Amino acid sequence: MRVVVAPLRIFPPGERRIVEVGGRSIGVFHIGENFYGVRNRCPHQGGPLCLGHLLGDAVADAPGLARISEDPLRIACPWHGWEYDLDSGQSFMGAAVAPGVRSYGVELSPGGSLAEGVLAEAPAKRIPGPYVAETFEVNVEDEYVVLHA
Ligand code: FES
C-alpha cells in the first residue's frame, strides 16, 4: 500500500510525521537526504517508539573535540530507552560493553602523540539487542513523500 505522507516542500530535514495506515501507527523521519519509516510500536513492551529522541553517535576529530554526529540514525523509545536503528530496526541498549563491571588501568603520559594512538583505535561497536522494530520503505515521488506500508 502506497500512502502519501506530505508534499516534500513542507517536510524538511529534521522533521517527523506520524501517520495511521491500516490500523498501524507509523513514524516517517526526514534525516539529511534520507527518509525512514518505523512502526510507532516498540517491540519491547509496545511503547510509542516514534515519539522518542533521535540519537547520533559521539565522535571526536581530536582530543577534547567530542561532538554528536550531525545526522541521528537511531531513536530511543520513551518508555524504557531501548534504541533502534532507523534503517534496519535493530535494537541496541547503550554502548557495547560486556555484562558485568570492567576495570581499566590508567596512567599519566605527556604529549599529543599519545592521543593519536587513541583516536586511531576503532570505535566500540554496539551489541545488538533482541528486538527489531518494523521498518518501511519511504521515497519521494513527484515531489511527494510516499510511504510503502
Ligand atoms: S516499550 Fe519501548 S523500551 Fe520498553
Side-chain angles (χ1 to χ4, degrees):
M1 179 187 307
R2 295 166 62 236
V3 176
V4 173
V5 176
L8 180 60
R9 65 183 162 72
I10 63 167
F11 194 167
E15 289 198 1
R16 74 182 77 177
R17 301 280 194 280
I18 296 178
V19 296
E20 296 291 324
V21 180
R24 295 171 297 177
S25 178
I26 298 172
V28 178
F29 300 83
H30 189 180
I31 297 173
E33 303 281 314
N34 301 308
F35 286 90
Y36 302 90
V38 179
R39 180 109 184 249
N40 188 23
R41 185 180 191 286
C42 178
H44 177 225
Q45 290 184 1
L49 177 59
C50 296
L51 299 181
H53 290 291
L54 293 169
L55 306 166
D57 287 327
V59 295
D61 300 321
L65 297 179
R67 61 185 168 78
I68 301 299
S69 60
E70 224 164 85
D71 290 334
L73 298 174
R74 284 173 284 117
I75 188 164
C77 178
W79 279 13
H80 310 104
W82 277 96
E83 299 175 7
Y84 294 88
D85 180 281
L86 290 171
D87 195 30
S88 68
Q90 176 62 56
S91 62
F92 298 92
M93 180 61 101
V97 292
V101 177
R102 287 176 153 179
S103 63
Y104 298 90
V106 177
E107 63 183 13
L108 293 176
S109 296
S113 60
L114 178 63
E116 290 174 16
V118 171
L119 292 175
E121 289 180 12
K125 291 197 177 348
R126 294 176 162 269
I127 297 173
Y131 310 110
V132 179
E134 190 175 2
T135 58
F136 302 89
E137 181 185 342
V138 181
N139 59 15
V140 177
E141 299 176 19
D142 295 327
E143 300 299 311
Y144 286 87
V145 179
V146 178
L147 168 68
H148 300 259

